[in-house]
Amino acid sequence: MNTVLITGTSSGYGRETALHFHERGWHVIATMRTPRPGVFPESDRFRVVELDVTRPESIAAALEAAGPIDALVNNAGIPSMGVFEGVSMAHVREVFETNTFGVMATTQAVLAQFRERGSGVVVNVTSSVVLGHMPLTAVYKASKLAVEGFTSSLALELAPFGVRAKTVEPGACLTTNFGARLPNDVPLEEQVPAPYAAFAKKSMADFAGQDVFTKESDVAETVWQAVHDTTGRLRFPAGPDAVRLDQAK
């Protein structure tokens, strides 16, 4: 029976993806920075493991606890919205530590077992912001575009060993916390420099007023498809708005 390790499963896309794989008979290693009871149903095919992707020792401990895996889904990430002029460089580094370097570190930690076995797949969850032009996401988009570039090159390196690498690009989901808050839990409007206020207000209204959005189940199903894809396809938009952005490119 196959085993998947998924990062960032405490809520949102990660939790839904973990449930999706479990319902289809997989063993699921569901990781989160602060494990807590009640997130998942009791099952001998569910294991919750502590993992902070910004700490090498946490990555090593989680993979040792997990044992051999067949798929890694790098879903853990932190949101960032705001006018770049008003964002601290400390926050920029925090975003990259989780969204970019954390993905790279966790991926690197599993590659030897995949290569030696001659099978395995890494799926990196990015965002539909890489598909179009969205204001107020400069830092977030940069962190996710870096993962897209990383994965495209990684896929070529791994192919001779029978190992695959993919990206899943979720659209906008109103039931996750992406647009709700900026660093330090300060509301967006309090972190926008005054000269940008009208622009930011209109941008957020345009975002909220779009006619289609992504559901967590869209992302879970797309991750499932990416894990099982053997056609060489690299990128998988997830959700109707992401698909529309991708088709408009």
Side-chain angles (χ1 to χ4, degrees):
M1 187 177 296
N2 289 327
T3 299
V4 60
L5 187 149
I6 307 169
T7 68
T9 62
S10 61
S11 63
Y13 301 149
R15 180 177 182 276
E16 188 69 24
T17 300
L19 291 168
H20 194 85
F21 275 76
H22 179 264
E23 289 166 1
R24 284 151 184 79
W26 280 50
H27 282 289
V28 177
I29 311 298
T31 75
M32 56 190 77
R33 281 189 299 180
T34 307
R36 63 182 192 274
V39 176
F40 298 108
E42 292 291 331
S43 170
D44 60 1
R45 290 189 291 105
F46 251 131
R47 291 178 58 200
V48 176
V49 174
E50 180 179 350
L51 172 58
D52 181 342
V53 300
T54 68
R55 295 172 48 233
E57 65 276 16
S58 180
I59 295 171
L63 288 174
E64 182 177 358
I69 63 173
D70 301 284
L72 167 67
V73 177
N74 281 310
N75 168 77
I78 57 176
S80 178
M81 289 193 76
V83 174
F84 182 68
E85 184 180 329
V87 177
S88 72
M89 287 307 299
H91 177 65
V92 174
R93 293 185 176 91
E94 179 188 7
V95 171
F96 271 78
E97 281 294 338
T98 297
N99 293 4
T100 307
F101 304 140
V103 168
M104 291 179 171
T106 307
T107 298
Q108 190 174 60
V110 305
L111 291 185
Q113 67 164 288
F114 286 178
R115 174 181 50 75
E116 291 168 1
R117 192 171 63 231
S119 66
V121 58
V122 176
V123 174
N124 294 326
V125 179
T126 61
S127 169
S128 64
V129 297
V130 307
L131 301 173
H133 304 297
M134 181 180 176
L136 309 181
T137 63
V139 175
Y140 186 75
K141 182 170 182 174
S143 73
K144 295 297 189 176
L145 274 170
V147 174
E148 291 275 335
F150 162 68
T151 310
S152 65
S153 182
L154 179 70
L156 299 175
E157 297 175 12
L158 299 179
F161 302 100
V163 181
R164 294 164 289 130
K166 315 282 185 180
T167 62
V168 167
E169 300 151 341
C173 183
L174 294 182
T175 52
T176 63
N177 68 351
F178 176 82
R181 290 191 142 8
L182 268 177
N184 304 317
D185 290 331
V186 178
L188 174 63
E189 59 270 17
E190 294 184 18
Q191 295 215 17
V192 174
Y196 293 94
F199 172 80
K201 182 177 181 180
K202 181 180 184 305
S203 297
M204 291 303 294
D206 290 344
F207 169 78
Q210 68 184 57
D211 58 340
V212 290
F213 290 92
T214 293
K215 303 187 298 292
E216 285 98 335
S217 57
D218 296 329
V219 179
E221 175 58 28
T222 305
V223 171
W224 175 265
Q225 293 171 9
V227 164
H228 289 85
D229 180 75
T230 57
T231 68
R233 180 180 174 186
L234 176 65
R235 298 169 40 254
F236 293 76
D241 52 328
V243 170
R244 185 164 65 185
L245 281 172
D246 185 57
Q247 293 173 342
K249 291 181 65 177

